[in-house]
Amino acid sequence: MASPSPRAPLAERVEELLAVDGPLPIVAAGDPVLRTGTVRYDGQLGPALLARFVEALRVTMRAAPGVGLAAPQVGVELRIAVIEDPAPVPEEVRVARGRVPQPFRVLVNPAYEPVGSGRAAFFEGCLSVPGWQAVVARPVEVRLTGEDEGGRALDEVFGGWPARIVQHETDHLDGLLYLDRAELRSLSANETAARRWAQPTPEEAARALGFGLP
């Protein structure tokens, strides 16, 4: 399917995207839409179209599969993202990473700020950078503000892995990829990461590959 013209009105482009059933195509790194940032959502889609778009993001995220998806990753420069994490991980991973289940959430016009000075580093991947992972140091806790899909205000503190997901997806809305914040010496193919760096923390990878941790 041809990508909708970037010159078409935004609602028209979203309608074109949703014209085909099933997951939406995910934009890969190198496409300018991932780097130009987003515009604040202010009713551009209308309630019905917004609901359909959010559902398409959910379907696409789950099919990938991933734990978050931002609108630019499907070619739409709106400040909207979705997150969801069933967290099916071993207990030692859950404890080390603070990875707890996160229900499906819609983030509209989100922004975050660190809470405290704590930082933690773990491998991250991205649906728009398929096949690779790298270690990213991020604040352990963040305060997220914004709205949900119904326009209700969000003002919530996230910690552990949910905080990492929130930061990763909100960064997408600012034209940032996780690689912009990563320790590039840690960059690993998925196969290598699974074979060598599957430990709950990246300490062994840091020693072997020569990068620092907070």
Side-chain angles (χ1 to χ4, degrees), residues 12 21 34 37 58 62-63 86 93 108 114 135 139 167 188 191 202 211:
E12 179 182 325
D21 291 335
L34 295 174
R58 172 165 32 188
R62 289 178 173 176
V93 173
V108 178
V135 172
Q167 292 172 76
S188 303
E191 297 82 358
F211 61 90

Side-chain angles (χ1 to χ4, degrees), residues 4 7 9 50 62 67 115 150 155 157 166 200:
R7 293 180 295 277
L50 174 63
R62 289 178 173 176
V67 297
V115 175
D155 189 341
V157 173
V166 162

Side-chain angles (χ1 to χ4, degrees), residues 6 14 33 51 55 76 101-102 118 120 123 134 153 157-158 166 176 178 180 189 206:
V14 172
V33 73
E55 179 60 21
V76 177
Q102 184 64 212
F123 276 98
V157 173
F158 288 78
V166 162
L176 295 172
Y178 82 99
D180 299 325

Side-chain angles (χ1 to χ4, degrees), residues 102-171:
Q102 184 64 212
F104 179 76
R105 304 279 298 271
V106 182
L107 310 180
V108 178
N109 301 323
Y112 69 83
E113 59 184 24
V115 175
S117 59
R119 292 174 67 80
F122 294 102
F123 276 98
E124 287 186 29
C126 180
L127 298 178
S128 291
V129 189
W132 299 92
Q133 299 179 38
V135 172
V136 184
R138 293 188 184 272
V140 173
E141 286 191 325
V142 295
R143 178 187 178 195
L144 179 79
T145 55
E147 300 96 45
D148 66 12
E149 67 273 35
R152 294 173 288 269
L154 296 176
D155 189 341
E156 188 173 339
V157 173
F158 288 78
W161 206 258
R164 184 167 295 268
I165 296 171
V166 162
Q167 292 172 76
H168 181 115
E169 299 309 327
T170 304
D171 281 355

